[in-house]
Amino acid sequence: MTALLFLGFCGLLLVGVPVAVALGGASLIYVWADGGLPPLVVLHRMASGIESFPLLAIPFFIMAGSLMNSAGITERIFSFAVALVGWARGGLGHVNVVASIIFAGMSGTAVADAGGIGSIEIKAMRDHKYPLPFSVGITAASSTIGPIIPPSLPMVIFGVMANASVGQLFAAGLIPGLFMAAVLMVWVAVEARRKRFPRDAAFSLPRLGHAFRRAFLPLLTPVLMVGGMTTGAFTPTEAAIAATFYALFLGAVIYRSLSWRGFLRVSMETIETTAVVLLIVAGASIFGWLVTTTRITDGIAGFVLSITSERWAVLLLVNLFLLLVGCFLETVAAITILVPVLMPLMDKIGVDPVHFGIIMVLNLMIGLLTPPVGMVLFILARVSGMSFEETTRATAPFLIPLFFCLALVTFWEPLSMWLPTLMYR
């Protein structure tokens, strides 16, 4: 009977049913066929699955990023990054990474980074005669930093599904995210020297000061959120609300670049995106509950441990599995489906849920850069005017530094666990 649950889900996906409906539909088919539970339990578990305070952060993180884009705040961030590191060889490649670090502290999603500040970055690099494949590749790679550095939408979902502290997950992502940025900047420096890229701007202290003054208020956004959560002034959910109101204040009152029409458009986009995400979470709640109650997870854990009980080998197998899943499933769907399946296995080999959260999110962010369902690839193909195939080839070399970061995060636990241990334990 348990096979019916997964066969039903896969079958519905193959015929083109949306992920959320496939999750709920497969669960309903299983409940009907089993006969041991009333069908009403499907709706009950779906409703209770999204009855969670941390999930309130989702619409506010989405809206904060959209408001930053619509109010033209991302342009100020990009100009500051140019003044800060544009003097280096291959400067705009470094700017690309630095701008993503800053924007990561505001949006929390790779898709928002690629679609928002990514379009500015690619246009600037095109104007400075950088090869388009290099521009697209570094933009794609740097966008994966967004959900690693707090705040992070995928980590909120993971925290809810794994019953892990969202605050600890945010703290755990900060150092790995900065490390990813450093590795990508080293990669850019090597490529710039090898291909003789130019220095895009001479360093000027007055220019840096001017750019800093223009970007000062937007730069306070990550300070507001991370500082507030670190000091205990507010929870991650309250931080998302604070960021949204701060972005609205900047766009509507300070810069006056956000019109009523723009605000309404952002609101509707936020509602649509939130509805999609929460419907997936609701469908995954009943699916995950059935997976747990039927003890499928114990069978999976037993099967993997019968192959190998070495911690490093199990983590390697899980990484390969997550990279494969990331090629086919959207991030939120993958997290909500796989957390109930993989967490018992992580418990058996002694992996901290917070550490595993960083591993899982990083794997799935790399999945956004791999075909056939790489969302970032589709966005950058549209932004750059390249075909999907060309965008995939342009991004492929940048997977090397990302895989290196993934390996280090996976097998050197202090990289992600030092900060949350210092702050919370």
Side-chain angles (χ1 to χ4, degrees):
M1 282 295 294
T2 53
L4 181 63
L5 188 63
F6 288 94
L7 289 174
F9 173 66
C10 294
L12 290 170
L13 280 183
L14 289 173
V15 298
V17 174
V19 172
V21 180
L23 288 166
S27 303
L28 185 59
I29 291 169
Y30 175 85
V31 168
W32 268 334
D34 182 65
L37 293 169
L40 193 62
V41 76
V42 174
L43 291 177
H44 174 71
R45 294 300 307 187
M46 288 179 72
S48 62
I50 56 175
E51 224 175 349
S52 169
F53 180 71
L55 288 179
L56 284 174
I58 293 173
F60 290 103
F61 278 139
I62 293 170
M63 191 167 194
S66 298
L67 285 170
M68 291 284 178
N69 282 329
S70 297
I73 294 170
T74 49
E75 183 275 328
R76 293 171 180 264
I77 294 169
F78 181 77
S79 297
F80 171 67
V82 170
L84 186 65
V85 294
W87 52 268
R89 186 176 294 278
L92 285 181
H94 296 294
V95 167
N96 203 311
V97 178
V98 171
S100 291
I101 294 172
I102 299 170
F103 195 66
M106 304 176 189
S107 69
T109 65
V111 171
D113 187 301
I117 204 164
S119 59
I120 300 172
E121 292 163 342
I122 289 176
K123 181 181 183 302
M125 294 182 80
R126 195 199 300 262
D127 291 344
H128 282 75
K129 305 294 188 275
Y130 279 79
L132 187 56
F134 176 82
S135 307
V136 170
I138 187 58
T139 303
S142 66
S143 72
T144 61
I145 298 171
I148 307 299
I149 292 178
S152 167
L153 181 58
M155 286 185 196
V156 173
I157 304 292
F158 180 91
V160 171
M161 298 303 298
N163 198 26
S165 165
V166 175
Q168 290 188 38
L169 285 164
F170 281 5
L174 184 59
I175 294 176
L178 295 175
F179 177 73
M180 287 171 64
V183 171
L184 286 173
M185 291 181 78
V186 169
W187 185 270
V188 169
V190 171
E191 287 291 292
R193 185 170 294 276
R194 189 169 67 88
K195 298 179 179 177
R196 300 184 182 278
F197 289 157
R199 299 177 189 272
D200 297 298
F203 181 77
S204 167
L205 201 56
R207 183 184 175 201
L208 177 60
H210 174 69
F212 178 73
R213 284 193 299 274
R214 287 188 72 239
F216 177 71
L217 292 177
L219 289 173
L220 287 180
T221 308
V223 176
L224 172 72
M225 288 194 288
V226 178
M229 288 184 288
T230 303
T231 59
F234 38 67
T235 66
T237 303
E238 292 163 348
I241 297 170
T244 300
F245 279 99
Y246 186 62
L248 185 61
F249 175 72
L250 290 182
V253 179
I254 301 298
Y255 302 135
R256 304 196 177 195
S257 52
L258 183 68
S259 64
W260 272 110
R261 186 185 297 274
F263 176 71
L264 290 174
R265 189 187 74 253
V266 167
S267 300
M268 291 306 299
E269 289 174 356
T270 302
I271 291 169
E272 290 172 10
T273 307
T274 303
V276 171
V277 171
L278 290 184
L279 194 57
I280 293 173
V281 173
S285 296
I286 175 61
F287 190 89
W289 182 73
L290 289 174
V291 165
T292 304
T293 55
T294 53
R295 305 188 71 81
I296 296 173
T297 53
D298 292 343
I300 293 172
F303 172 72
V304 174
L305 293 175
S306 69
I307 299 173
T308 177
S309 59
E310 293 287 341
R311 190 172 186 264
W312 70 268
V314 173
L315 284 172
L316 180 61
L317 289 173
V318 169
N319 270 305
L320 293 173
F321 174 66
L322 288 173
L323 288 171
L324 178 64
V325 168
C327 294
F328 298 97
L329 271 184
E330 189 270 335
T331 302
V332 173
I335 291 173
T336 51
I337 295 167
L338 295 178
V339 165
V341 175
L342 295 177
M343 277 308 301
L345 177 59
M346 294 298 104
D347 290 339
K348 288 183 184 295
I349 62 171
V351 175
D352 191 285
V354 174
H355 181 216
F356 180 60
I358 304 302
I359 294 171
M360 187 174 206
V361 171
L362 182 49
N363 268 288
L364 296 175
M365 289 308 99
I366 294 174
L368 292 174
L369 311 185
T370 54
V373 192
M375 285 299 298
V376 168
L377 296 179
F378 281 107
I379 290 170
L380 292 180
R382 186 177 72 247
V383 168
S384 66
M386 296 171 68
S387 69
F388 181 79
E389 293 76 13
E390 290 171 333
T391 304
T392 303
R393 286 195 295 273
T395 305
F398 291 89
L399 294 177
I400 297 171
L402 293 180
F403 284 142
F404 171 74
C405 294
L406 175 61
L408 209 59
V409 168
T410 300
F411 298 112
W412 189 35
E413 190 170 325
L415 187 64
S416 58
M417 291 306 298
W418 178 77
L419 192 57
T421 301
L422 182 69
M423 292 172 57
Y424 291 97
R425 302 181 182 184

